[in-house]
Amino acid sequence: MPQLAKRMGRAKPSAIMVVAEKAKQLKAEGRDIISFSIGVPNFLPGDHVYAAAREALEHDSGQYGSNRGSNELLDAFLKHIEQVGLTGYTRANCATGIGAKHVLYNLCEALLDEGDGFAFATPYWTSYVDIGEILDADIQLLPCPAEQDYKLTPAQLDAALAKKPKVFLFNNPSNPTGMVYTRDEISALADVLVKHPETWVITDDIYNRMVFDGIGYHNFVHARPELRERVVFMDSLSKTYGMPGWRAGFMVGPEVVAKAVTTMNSNHITNIPEIVTAAAVAALSGPQDVPNAKRAEFQAKRDQVVAALNAIPGVVCPVPQGAFYAFPDISVAFGTSHDGKTIANDVDLCNALLEAKGVACVPGSAFGEPRGLRISYTCPTPQLAPGLQRIQEFFAELK
């Protein structure tokens, strides 16, 4: 029998989806499950988005679209990013894709050859390692533990870039930690980036509208405009607008990179579907009341989650200021047991928590930080307090 390509030996299914599927199975068996696992916003976009999709359906051309994205969509995206201070770009600087994950994969295909250095901080979004391994890149992890609030320091970045990685991937606000870099922190990192002109910079900042406490979103290009020749900014409909299933992602950056991603699209997808394009334009250009309301709701949930977690003796949860995740250090539980089952690591803890209390979380090792776990607090509000109480009860029962 013929063999699969070698790269398939490096490809792995999403660790997050493994947890989600297990929780779904237990729920189907009649268990009372509260899921803090999968990172979906759990709200729907405004009515104007559906109206635009219906209108497009009624007037569907049935034709192929642009590999880059329609002019209307590109213009809507450019106006959208101007609101966070990313100005001076044109359509030629943009490209679209079937969700931000697709855009990121295309970017990595376009920028990385086999063996090229691919640097990013730990904890990381699971797909970063997955994509890097499929492409056989030289993955260079930069550990950022809870003791430094899961944030990369300028000294760490300087040491990493001295090794001349081809791509430095930055995530702000962070999935899985929810941490957000301040203006001063971004400025300090940008000063380091200027010193290392050999490295492309991708900013995976799809949660840029989900920032709390008035600290605002900041980008390297804001701090050092000369970096726009090397910085690629990524965005998405999924989190901001409650549209993960619609699959529309975006990038803006140097023309040569946007052209490369467009070329990749011509071989992969041809174009974003016409109906999705119409919905995306409406989301980006229309009323912003739904995402604004959800940002306030998530900030209130954040406060509730952090208070509950930090009330558990020995658990440390740095305060996230964006996205909808908390990432507590739960290593205090290692070496204990629950109901006779040993808790040796984060996976043991998450399995025991799901079995004993019906609460699904993702082990931190899926994100490169085995001392933690990720809590996505987008569940229905009535489930949040009971879920947190179950976690507190679980830790209180450890022996």
Side-chain angles (χ1 to χ4, degrees), residues 27-261:
K27 193 168 186 177
E29 294 171 359
R31 289 285 306 277
D32 175 20
I33 302 297
I34 295 176
S35 180
F36 292 151
S37 60
I38 194 165
V40 295
N42 278 327
F43 66 89
L44 294 174
D47 290 341
H48 64 287
V49 172
Y50 292 103
R54 285 191 291 268
E55 176 73 13
L57 184 62
E58 291 175 1
H59 299 92
D60 181 30
S61 71
Q63 302 299 311
Y64 290 122
S66 165
N67 299 149
R68 188 184 295 272
S70 74
N71 287 343
E72 185 179 19
L73 179 57
L74 299 177
D75 290 346
F77 176 58
L78 288 168
K79 289 181 180 178
H80 178 75
I81 63 174
E82 285 177 0
Q83 296 168 13
V84 292
L86 294 173
T87 59
Y89 293 102
T90 70
R91 295 171 183 168
N93 299 110
C94 300
T96 60
I98 306 297
K101 185 185 292 188
H102 175 241
V103 172
L104 177 60
Y105 188 89
N106 272 0
L107 280 169
C108 290
E109 282 266 29
L111 300 178
L112 289 166
D113 287 314
E114 291 184 8
D116 281 344
F118 186 31
F120 47 87
T122 299
Y124 49 74
W125 182 45
T126 58
S127 290
Y128 296 168
V129 164
D130 296 341
I131 292 171
E133 289 181 344
I134 291 171
L135 299 180
D136 204 18
D138 176 19
I139 296 172
Q140 301 167 8
L141 301 179
L142 315 179
C144 300
E147 292 81 2
Q148 61 189 62
D149 288 337
Y150 300 124
K151 291 184 181 182
L152 188 66
T153 68
Q156 275 184 299
L157 180 60
D158 196 30
L161 296 185
K163 299 176 182 177
K164 299 188 183 333
K166 185 72 173 297
V167 172
F168 166 57
L169 176 55
F170 186 69
N171 182 209
N172 176 48
S174 166
N175 175 6
T177 68
M179 304 308 289
V180 180
Y181 289 76
T182 66
R183 183 192 301 272
D184 288 345
E185 289 167 338
I186 288 292
S187 180
L189 293 174
D191 289 345
V192 174
L193 290 171
V194 169
K195 294 165 51 181
H196 299 277
E198 305 90 350
T199 300
W200 291 104
V201 180
I202 301 174
T203 63
D204 176 9
D205 295 354
I206 68 172
Y207 296 90
N208 66 82
R209 303 300 174 109
M210 296 268 181
V211 177
F212 311 144
D213 305 326
I215 67 172
Y217 165 75
H218 307 286
N219 187 282
F220 298 133
V221 172
H222 296 150
R224 297 294 294 263
E226 62 266 43
L227 287 172
R228 69 191 294 136
E229 296 180 357
R230 291 192 284 126
V231 171
V232 182
F233 166 85
M234 287 175 46
D235 206 342
S236 168
L237 292 184
S238 296
K239 314 301 181 177
T240 300
Y241 295 102
M243 299 173 69
W246 288 81
R247 311 312 300 143
F250 312 91
M251 63 133 291
V252 66
E255 286 190 29
V256 64
V257 178
K259 183 178 180 180
V261 172

Side-chain angles (χ1 to χ4, degrees), residues 321-370:
Q321 292 187 289
F324 36 66
Y325 306 109
F327 200 83
D329 182 326
I330 44 79
S331 57
V332 66
F334 298 169
T336 68
S337 64
H338 186 276
D339 198 22
K341 296 180 180 178
T342 300
I343 308 295
N345 51 46
D346 59 322
V347 176
D348 288 345
L349 189 146
C350 286
N351 285 334
L353 179 61
L354 181 56
E355 291 290 344
K357 299 297 181 180
V359 176
C361 300
V362 183
S365 53
F367 308 99
E369 177 45 270

